[in-house]
Amino acid sequence: MIYMDNAATTMHKPQEVIDAVVSAMSSMGNAGRGANEASLSASRVIYDTREKLARLFGAEDARRIAFTNNSTESLNIAIKGLLNPGDHVITTMLEHNSVLRPLYEMEKKGVRLTIVPSDEKGRIDIGEIEKAIAPDTRMIICTNGSNLTGNYVDIKSIGELADKHHILFVVDASQTAGVFPIHVQDMKIDVLCFTGHKGLLGPQGTGGIYVRDGLEIRPLKTGGSGIQTYSKTHPAQMPTALEAGTLNGHGIAGLHAALEYLERTGIDKIRACEQKLMWRFYHGVKDIPGVKIYGDFTGQDRCAIVTLNIGDYDSSEVSDELLTEYGISTRPGGHCAPLMHEALGTVEQGAVRFSFSHYNTEEEVDIAIKAIRELAEEP
């Protein structure tokens, strides 16, 4: 199988990630729940992983990083833990349902929601975000990279805008963490939400949230923490405030190994490799009659994603043929980005997404180009 669905999850992981999870399954205890070696070993791995994430994202303190199951949980924590009835929040049409659905829930509870539109290439105008700012605006929340078009969003400029107006800035880094450089302090990011199973190359069920020092978030869940057992309330200090219950220590051990791999290999090198493959594919298919490509390809920096359709064929049919006839795994349909499909005009047809990893090869890309050419030629 040629795997080109890496925007959903990176299936090919470094061998040391696999080894770390297997080792942890037979040796790791429950972090913070005892003084035995198994528990202390788990605590050390989790602590060191937190430190690595803080370095990667430029956090001021590793304690500002809390572990979650994925970006969806992190975004729910941020949205439901910071917004109150009467607040105004600004987001964009680029967003994934993990942003939109919690916002719609909060809208029903009295939060005012503004969604900044995008053009037909999936681009947003930062000036439109500034126009939407009102006296009651509490938060701007947006993605760092579209999971549908691959367009990169200039979050540094948006962060500076939010900072100028004293508005909280929340970023969904699902498609960029581990691939693009992110420095939360330089980019004026108050809350960063990320997952471990995509660009960070870790296991599924891992993720996290960075919360700026001085900002408190109502926890989404409360319960066991390993500390302050006799208190009726959950501990307020980070990261414990957002980490009720036993952490996914086995998964975090894998994420720890993945972060070591990223440090050793270099995210710039990984990004360059992925973008080279993406551009090779793009240039190979863009002029094929009947093929329509979505997104902005005028700049070099973008996520390694090419999303397309062939004529009027349903995207699911194309994706099925790619798999059954050529052994190529892609993602068709709506990609959990309904507003983006409205902007692109693909609500009914959906779209076929190719998303590349540095584990892909030029030979695989060429096979995919040939497949699209042949499918486009079919009567």
Side-chain angles (χ1 to χ4, degrees), residues 143-157:
T143 185
N144 189 191
S146 169
N147 74 308
L148 179 54
T149 65
N151 290 357
Y152 180 82
V153 177
D154 181 9
I155 56 171
K156 182 174 174 61
S157 295

Side-chain angles (χ1 to χ4, degrees), residues 221-235:
K221 55 187 179 182
T222 58
S225 61
I227 61 172
Q228 300 178 19
T229 294
Y230 297 103
S231 172
K232 292 183 178 180
T233 58
H234 194 76

Side-chain angles (χ1 to χ4, degrees), residues 271-287:
R271 182 173 70 258
C273 178
E274 292 180 353
Q275 289 180 339
K276 181 181 179 182
L277 295 170
M278 178 267 297
W279 285 111
R280 184 182 185 94
F281 180 76
Y282 170 76
H283 288 299
V285 300
K286 69 182 180 69
D287 295 323

Side-chain angles (χ1 to χ4, degrees), residues 13-20 52 55-56 178 200-201 254-270 358-359:
K13 309 291 185 183
Q15 185 60 44
E16 50 262 56
V17 174
I18 299 167
D19 294 341
K52 288 181 181 297
R55 286 197 299 274
L56 179 64
L200 288 176
L201 301 176
L255 182 59
H256 180 274
L259 290 165
E260 288 188 333
Y261 173 85
L262 291 176
E263 290 172 352
R264 185 171 65 254
T265 307
I267 66 171
D268 292 342
K269 181 178 178 181
I270 289 172
H358 68 296
Y359 285 109

Side-chain angles (χ1 to χ4, degrees), residues 119-122 148-149 292 294-295 340-346:
D119 65 13
E120 70 284 353
K121 289 189 178 295
L148 179 54
T149 65
K292 183 172 183 179
Y294 304 96
M340 191 75 269
H341 278 283
E342 288 183 19
L344 300 178
T346 52

Side-chain angles (χ1 to χ4, degrees), residues 32 54 177 179 207 213 216 265 298 358 377 379:
V179 181
D213 189 25
E216 291 189 4
T265 307
T298 58
H358 68 296
E377 290 172 353

